[in-house]
Amino acid sequence: MDGTAAALRTLAHNVRAARTRAGLSLDELGRRAQVSKGALVGLEKAQGNPNFATLIRLADTLGVPVSALLEGEPEGRVRVVSADAVAPLWTGPHGGESRLLLTTSGPAPVEVWRWRLEPGEEYPSHPHPARVVETVTVLTGRMVLVVDGTEHPVAAGQTATFDADTPHAYRGAGTGTCRLIMTVHLPPGAGGTG
């Protein structure tokens, strides 16, 4: 089985399991996550190609980290992840991308993301549930963090954090590539991957 088919099977299994644990019908999950029932049926049959925004809405609605929908069973006590072994979940028009590297286990999981933004590329994000906190650390280049309509320049060597329960966006700024690490701190009880 190729990697894409395996990933779709894992996603299908994890979405169905999380939906069942939450006690939601396909109709109710679709209504809450703003995803059509047809798309959910296809997703649970390992068909289709859901976009990044859909995965985030499903995870938020189900109360789990995005990685809980994407990852298989943990393989051991220590996980080492090569960023190149993880498929991008978002790709920008000029080559930017985001990759969810992993999610920590425990009562308050943390998602670890690697982002690359080219100048002018922007990724807008919908508000997350209450008590979700995001932190961005710019490694190279510059970006503009937009939180609830207010722009915050963040340059290499700087870190910004904010409550992510409001609309927010990441935009590449300046003339060079912006590389950053983003962490999403989920509230206790959001579930982990291990």
Side-chain angles (χ1 to χ4, degrees):
M1 174 179 348
D2 74 6
T4 301
L8 282 173
R9 284 172 123 50
T10 298
L11 177 62
H13 173 268
N14 292 344
V15 168
R16 188 178 320 103
R19 180 177 63 78
T20 300
R21 277 192 308 275
L24 297 175
S25 67
L26 285 166
D27 287 322
E28 185 61 16
L29 176 58
R31 185 186 68 74
R32 291 183 187 184
Q34 300 175 349
V35 176
S36 74
K37 181 179 178 181
L40 286 174
V41 168
L43 184 63
E44 288 192 6
K45 290 182 177 180
Q47 301 167 347
N49 186 15
N51 65 31
F52 184 40
T54 298
L55 292 176
I56 290 174
R57 285 195 310 271
L58 286 171
D60 284 350
T61 301
L62 293 166
V64 300
V66 173
S67 62
L69 300 179
L70 299 171
E71 294 179 353
E73 293 297 315
E75 296 181 12
R77 187 174 186 141
V78 175
R79 287 182 288 158
V80 177
V81 178
S82 170
D84 295 335
V86 179
L89 292 177
W90 171 80
T91 304
H94 305 295
E97 63 181 26
S98 70
R99 296 174 189 252
L100 175 56
L101 301 177
L102 59 85
T103 301
T104 63
S105 59
V110 177
E111 296 177 349
V112 180
W113 294 78
R114 187 180 82 172
W115 285 76
R116 184 177 73 232
L117 293 168
E118 297 300 330
E121 284 184 323
E122 182 170 306
Y123 176 78
S125 180
H126 68 90
H128 298 300
R131 302 183 325 172
V132 172
V133 175
E134 292 190 12
T135 301
V136 293
T137 299
V138 175
L139 304 173
T140 62
R142 298 183 327 174
M143 69 170 289
V144 174
L145 172 64
V146 182
V147 178
D148 205 18
T150 302
E151 295 188 356
H152 305 272
V154 186
Q158 293 183 317
T159 299
T161 188
F162 62 98
D163 294 330
D165 60 352
T166 187
H168 52 283
Y170 312 100
R171 182 182 327 127
T175 58
T177 301
C178 176
R179 296 182 191 281
L180 62 104
I181 297 294
M182 176 182 74
T183 57
V184 180
H185 304 261
L186 303 166
T193 59

